[in-house]
Amino acid sequence: MARGRLRIYLGAAPGVGKTFAMLDEAHRRLERGTDVVVGFVETHGRAHTTAELDGLEVLPRARVSHRGATLEELDLDALLARRPQVALIDELAHTNAPGGRHTKRWQDIEDVLDAGIDVISTVNIQHLESLNDAVTSITGVVQRETVPDEVVRRADQIELVDMSPEALRRRMAHGNVYPPDRVDAALANYFRVGNLGALRELALLWLADRVDEGLGRYRAEHGIESTWPTRERVVVAVAGGPEGETLLRRGARIAARGAGGELLVVHVARTDGLAGPALPDLVSQRRLTEELGGTFHTVTGDDLAEAVLDFARGVNASQVIIGSSRRARWRTLVTPSTTEEVIAGSGDIDVHVVTHRFAAGRGWRTPRRGLPRRRVRAGYAVALAGPFVLTELLAALPDDPELPLTAPLFLLLSVLIALLGGMGPALLGAVASSLFLNWFFTPPTGGLTISQPQNAVALAVFVVVAAAVAFVVDRSARRADSAVRAQAEASSLAALSHTLLGSTDQMGLLLREALDMFGAEAAAVVRRPTSDHPAEVVAGTHPGLEPEDLRAPGLPREEVDDDHDLVLVGESLPAGQQRLLAAFAAHAGAILQRRSLRAAAAEAAELARDNSARTALLSAVSHDLRTPLAGIKAAIGSLRSTEVTFSPEDEAELQAAIEDSADRLETLIGNLLDMSRLQAGALVAHPRPVDLGEVVPGVVRETADPGRVQWHLDDHARVVTADPGLLDRVLGNIVENALRHQPAPGAVRISSSGLGDRVEIRVVDTGPGVPQGDRDRIFLPFQRHGDAPSGDGVGLGLAVARGLAESMGGSVVPEDTPGGGLTVVVDLPAARTEIP
């Protein structure tokens, strides 16, 4: 069976007309003879939308009871049994009521599509998961119902239902979106012009990305390699050199000139694995790219120009930015630079060549590495002494050797010198050998003149061959050196990264690894001195390290970030290890950044908790604490009134109301004070053996309805180690909470049982219970089950009970009551001695 097709109407905000457009499409298909059924459409009481349902078959909705309310949901089973060609299912991101087949409506739609039924649905941009944070920051409203972006992206067709902010506000003002009593508040808050404009732009950009993905698939399927400049995509090619920052900022400015412009940065790594630019430079440029709103990409290739252009064509780029060549000008006469090759092969892609202060010999140069110095010195020695020795050996022969014999021998000497010492000694040896060959063995001997042209050609070829061999040897030596360094760096960094991932002390481990890697005596990360802070050792391998110990000139030092340096105590590093030290510094910078982010996150979380507690406390004071005060004031005012004469029964009732309100007020204030003491760590428990037979009856008598509490204690589980006053508060809060949720006329049951050296006190109710996912949340301060705004408490009872129990070495754990309800188990240590 072929899977059904999904069509989604996407809107920037409620009221733009998504449902109306969906119903209009249903009428068009119905007129063409298509079997269309309305599975679920939410009209929100809008007259024009409701009128569009006329003439369409509407399936009855499923009714679900939840928390005393009856909710209407999509009847998925009825729709699958009906099997229409097209089903209309509104509100893709809707969360279903508990008890259904799926949690989310988009999951229901997946089942419908799998059954081969086409679906038309709707969704607002604020419900997309990836944009949830952005929408919250714009509107200040947290969207609880979201749908994964991938679900919407998989749709066969997405149609934007668009409307200007001003037109939508006029529609709202006319009462076409919300009832009149909600219009003013909506226009002043969520539906402000700025909010609607930002949401509209989000919708347009998100849909543009979706269209761009389809365009990319079309070009790939049809083998189209030329670029289609549907939007400005600027590719910046960076080599990892210091000019990268200039290129990135220039690319960001160009990309920002057009709406929807994208900045893509590409670095081409060598496929031969040879060492590339310094790792900290690439890390810095990657970070700058993210700050500028771009994306950083690394590709591999031997031909740098071809790799850059292939990447640009692959992302459908319209412009490429590349820096002017750092090569010496004379070298471009021999081989074209990468910049020239990019320009020559760019085709219909615009290329911007950006000048910088490191271009064409004006500054930075990559240090050249070749053979070890000892080999070079030995090569020069052989280049100077070798021709003399070879000439003496040839002169000792009984017959004078001729040029066909001597020339290959001198050429062999030049090749050996090239293999030993590289380019410089090889050229010196070739010149010296050619002079000796000309003077002693080329007729006429004893001079530098050559009588036969073929001898002159032979000498010229001799010098060219020697220079070519020297060049090949020198280049191979450099590549071999780079390959060895790259392999060593890669192995070291791979081992370091693997080790750091599993460590809790990442900075300490990094510094200890630096000691082993570089043979240093000590290592430290040092904060540079500023006008506000002196120099400081942030982390070090030796506890006694001071900033003064790390200021000696010549110590290996590498910049970690704008404020810190990595310093080694010991001998200076070889040039070959400087790049590896830079990589260690980059790791140290990442560790410091993670520390900073964790600290900022912890601080933000602490502030959020404090703010939440403060808000909840103010809410409690403004409502829950004022309620008993209002009751007391009203009762006292009635008793003092001279206009009404109350009977003794009425006066007793008013006095009882005053007493009841005062008790409630005392309980609320006591819980607030207990929670404050718990959070401040000022609560001290004094445990001693306590008989539950004395505590439980008192707790029951103090409850609001003692007649609805039944208790039974096991004779072998009566004595616990606890603070009597705190235990009374623990059980009192738990029992009051159970009574609040226990349906009348049922009773709350209290029992005790022994388990090893522990005593478990169970407070059992048969109320609605608490879902597994909310078990921990009900013990948070200022939380009530279901976030119910009504009730006598401020949501502190269970939080205080758990805190007080833990201060006595116990615990409070919720469990399911068999048959329904909640059982709260108080676990306390059993007393080791009998009560005197």
Side-chain angles (χ1 to χ4, degrees):
M1 180 184 299
R3 178 180 167 86
R5 296 174 60 83
L6 175 62
R7 179 173 182 171
I8 295 176
Y9 285 94
L10 174 68
V16 294
K18 303 179 303 300
T19 304
F20 191 91
M22 178 178 66
L23 293 172
D24 193 42
E25 173 66 17
H27 281 288
R28 285 196 296 270
R29 298 199 183 194
L30 189 63
E31 291 173 358
R32 294 197 299 264
T34 305
D35 183 14
V36 180
V37 166
V38 177
F40 189 98
V41 166
E42 185 58 71
T43 64
H44 297 287
R46 298 164 189 166
H48 293 83
T49 306
T50 304
E52 280 290 299
L53 286 172
D54 294 340
L56 297 175
E57 179 184 351
V58 181
L59 285 181
R61 300 180 179 184
R63 297 182 179 273
V64 180
S65 296
H66 179 61
R67 294 181 179 176
T70 301
L71 306 178
E72 294 184 343
E73 298 289 353
L74 168 69
D75 193 336
L76 180 59
D77 295 329
L79 179 59
L80 294 176
R82 171 62 175 77
R83 295 193 58 82
Q85 290 177 281
V86 178
L88 274 59
I89 305 177
D90 208 0
E91 297 184 350
L92 183 67
H94 172 75
T95 301
N96 295 328
R101 185 184 301 184
H102 298 297
T103 305
K104 306 289 287 187
R105 183 165 292 166
W106 65 263
Q107 296 171 318
D108 294 337
I109 291 176
E110 288 292 319
D111 286 354
V112 177
L113 294 172
D114 289 339
I117 303 172
D118 294 344
V119 175
I120 304 178
S121 188
T122 64
V123 70
N124 281 329
I125 196 68
Q126 67 263 29
H127 295 299
L128 295 181
E129 184 67 45
S130 65
L131 300 178
N132 189 257
D133 292 341
V135 173
T136 301
S137 64
I138 292 170
T139 64
V141 178
V142 179
Q143 299 295 330
R144 301 293 183 185
E145 295 185 326
T146 59
V147 59
D149 287 47
E150 184 59 29
V151 174
V152 184
R153 289 181 183 274
R154 287 200 305 264
D156 299 279
Q157 186 175 351
I158 302 176
E159 184 171 333
L160 179 67
V161 182
D162 191 26
M163 178 177 289
S164 68
E166 293 77 10
L168 179 56
R169 285 171 60 85
R170 284 196 300 271
R171 176 181 287 185
M172 291 194 62
H174 294 157
N176 295 330
V177 179
Y178 288 155
D181 58 333
R182 297 177 55 190
V183 169
D184 291 339
L187 290 175
N189 294 282
Y190 191 90
F191 288 85
R192 295 195 299 266
V193 173
N195 288 359
L196 296 177
L199 293 174
R200 188 186 187 199
E201 184 174 2
L202 281 178
L204 291 170
L205 290 175
W206 190 92
L207 188 60
D209 288 337
R210 176 68 171 79
V211 172
D212 194 65
E213 291 175 4
L215 178 61
R217 287 195 299 269
Y218 179 84
R219 293 176 64 239
E221 292 170 358
H222 292 79
I224 300 174
E225 297 182 357
S226 61
T227 58
W228 288 6
T230 54
R231 69 166 66 182
E232 287 295 335
R233 283 192 178 86
V234 180
V235 171
V236 179
V238 295
E243 76 283 359
E245 181 176 341
T246 303
L247 302 183
L248 291 174
R249 297 191 185 279
R250 181 66 60 83
R253 289 198 297 271
I254 293 176
R257 290 173 185 169
E262 291 185 27
L263 175 65
L264 300 98
V265 181
V266 59
H267 168 68
V268 182
R270 304 178 64 98
T271 57
D272 54 16
L274 300 183
L279 181 60
D281 292 336
L282 283 180
V283 172
S284 175
Q285 291 176 16
R286 182 185 293 272
R287 186 180 302 117
L288 178 59
T289 300
E290 295 173 353
E291 293 174 356
L292 294 173
T295 56
F296 195 96
H297 306 266
T298 300
V299 299
T300 57
D302 292 322
D303 190 323
L304 302 184
E306 182 179 357
V308 169
L309 290 174
D310 286 345
F311 176 82
R313 293 191 182 97
V315 298
N316 200 23
S318 56
Q319 302 182 60
V320 169
I321 295 179
I322 192 168
S324 54
S325 178
R326 297 193 302 258
R327 298 170 60 186
R329 299 187 186 280
W330 65 268
R331 295 185 62 187
T332 60
L333 300 176
V334 181
T335 57
S337 65
T338 301
T339 302
E340 293 172 337
E341 292 179 346
V342 169
I343 295 173
S346 61
D348 53 359
I349 302 177
D350 296 337
V351 179
H352 299 266
V353 180
V354 179
T355 59
H356 50 86
R357 63 189 182 91
F358 305 101
R362 291 162 53 188
W364 183 77
R365 280 285 182 272
T366 302
R368 293 177 62 83
R369 302 179 184 275
L371 297 172
R373 291 183 179 180
R374 63 180 183 276
R375 285 185 58 181
V376 176
R377 289 195 292 266
Y380 277 114
V382 175
L384 293 174
F388 286 101
V389 175
L390 181 57
T391 299
E392 291 296 330
L393 292 176
L394 293 175
L397 295 176
D399 298 324
D400 292 334
E402 297 182 356
L403 190 60
L405 174 62
T406 56
L409 292 176
F410 276 97
L411 179 61
L412 176 61
L413 175 63
S414 298
V415 171
L416 294 176
I417 294 172
L419 293 174
L420 177 63
M423 178 66 75
L427 293 178
L428 177 61
V431 172
S433 297
S434 63
L435 292 176
F436 273 79
L437 185 63
N438 190 9
W439 185 277
F440 293 104
F441 302 104
T442 303
T445 59
L448 297 178
T449 59
I450 301 174
S451 60
Q452 298 181 5
Q454 60 268 27
N455 292 340
V457 173
L459 288 176
V461 171
F462 172 86
V463 175
V464 170
V465 170
V469 172
F471 174 77
V472 171
V473 171
D474 184 74
R475 186 172 183 180
S476 298
R478 296 181 194 280
R479 286 184 172 272
D481 179 66
S482 295
V484 170
R485 287 188 295 110
Q487 182 181 11
E489 291 177 8
S491 300
S492 301
L493 293 178
L496 177 63
S497 300
H498 179 74
T499 306
L500 289 177
L501 287 175
S503 174
T504 55
D505 181 18
Q506 294 184 336
M507 185 64 78
L509 177 60
L510 177 73
L511 296 177
R512 291 192 295 272
E513 289 289 333
L515 295 184
D516 297 336
M517 180 63 61
F518 302 107
E521 300 173 6
V525 174
V526 185
R527 183 194 296 275
R528 301 192 199 101
T530 62
S531 57
D532 299 327
H533 301 282
E536 178 188 1
V537 177
V538 177
T541 54
H542 294 71
L545 280 177
E546 296 293 337
E548 293 74 13
D549 303 330
L550 306 170
R551 293 178 181 174
L555 289 181
R557 181 183 299 268
E558 186 66 34
E559 179 179 323
V560 171
D561 54 26
D562 294 338
D563 302 317
H564 300 84
D565 290 327
L566 174 61
V567 184
L568 302 180
V569 178
E571 299 181 357
S572 59
L573 294 181
Q577 287 190 312
Q578 195 65 39
R579 276 175 45 85
L580 193 57
L581 179 61
F584 271 71
H587 276 290
I591 294 172
L592 290 177
Q593 186 177 24
R594 284 195 293 272
R595 283 184 179 179
S596 176
L597 292 175
R598 283 198 298 267
E603 182 179 358
E606 186 67 27
L607 290 175
R609 285 194 298 270
D610 292 344
N611 185 62
S612 176
R614 188 179 300 111
T615 302
L617 180 59
L618 290 174
S619 175
V621 171
S622 65
H623 174 71
D624 295 299
L625 294 182
R626 290 177 63 183
T627 300
L629 287 175
I632 293 173
K633 184 176 181 180
I636 292 177
S638 299
L639 290 174
R640 295 184 60 187
S641 175
T642 59
E643 299 177 358
V644 180
T645 302
F646 294 98
S647 64
E649 293 80 8
D650 292 336
E651 289 183 358
E653 185 177 351
L654 289 173
Q655 292 171 356
I658 294 174
E659 184 177 10
D660 180 63
S661 296
D663 290 341
R664 288 166 54 193
L665 186 60
E666 181 183 13
T667 301
L668 292 173
I669 294 176
N671 280 334
L672 286 171
L673 293 175
D674 285 342
M675 181 52 60
S676 299
R677 294 163 63 195
L678 285 170
Q679 291 182 338
L683 182 70
V684 179
H686 300 283
R688 62 181 178 81
V690 177
D691 187 355
L692 294 178
E694 298 178 357
V695 175
V696 173
V699 169
V700 173
R701 284 193 302 270
E702 295 296 327
T703 60
D705 193 354
R708 295 178 57 205
V709 181
Q710 301 174 359
W711 58 278
H712 173 75
L713 302 177
D714 188 339
D715 292 337
H716 301 288
R718 290 174 57 99
V719 183
V720 298
T721 301
D723 185 309
L726 298 185
L727 180 58
D728 183 84
R729 300 299 301 276
V730 170
L731 295 179
N733 280 322
I734 295 175
V735 173
E736 287 289 353
N737 181 78
L739 282 172
R740 192 176 295 117
H741 296 93
Q742 174 66 41
V748 172
R749 300 189 307 275
I750 304 175
S751 63
S752 68
S753 60
L755 184 64
D757 60 349
R758 313 287 293 184
V759 172
E760 293 183 346
I761 308 168
R762 282 179 161 75
V763 180
V764 183
D765 69 64
T766 57
V770 178
Q772 185 69 36
D774 292 340
R775 294 283 173 82
D776 290 332
R777 206 166 68 84
I778 62 175
F779 289 96
L780 296 177
F782 306 107
Q783 294 289 328
R784 288 177 289 209
H785 179 45
D787 289 331
S790 61
D792 297 333
V794 294
L796 281 176
L798 292 181
V800 169
R802 172 172 279 186
L804 297 179
E806 291 176 350
S807 70
M808 297 184 292
S811 64
V812 177
V813 180
E815 294 180 354
D816 287 325
T817 299
L822 182 71
T823 297
V824 179
V825 181
V826 181
D827 180 278
L828 292 170
R832 297 182 180 179
T833 60
E834 293 295 332
I835 297 178

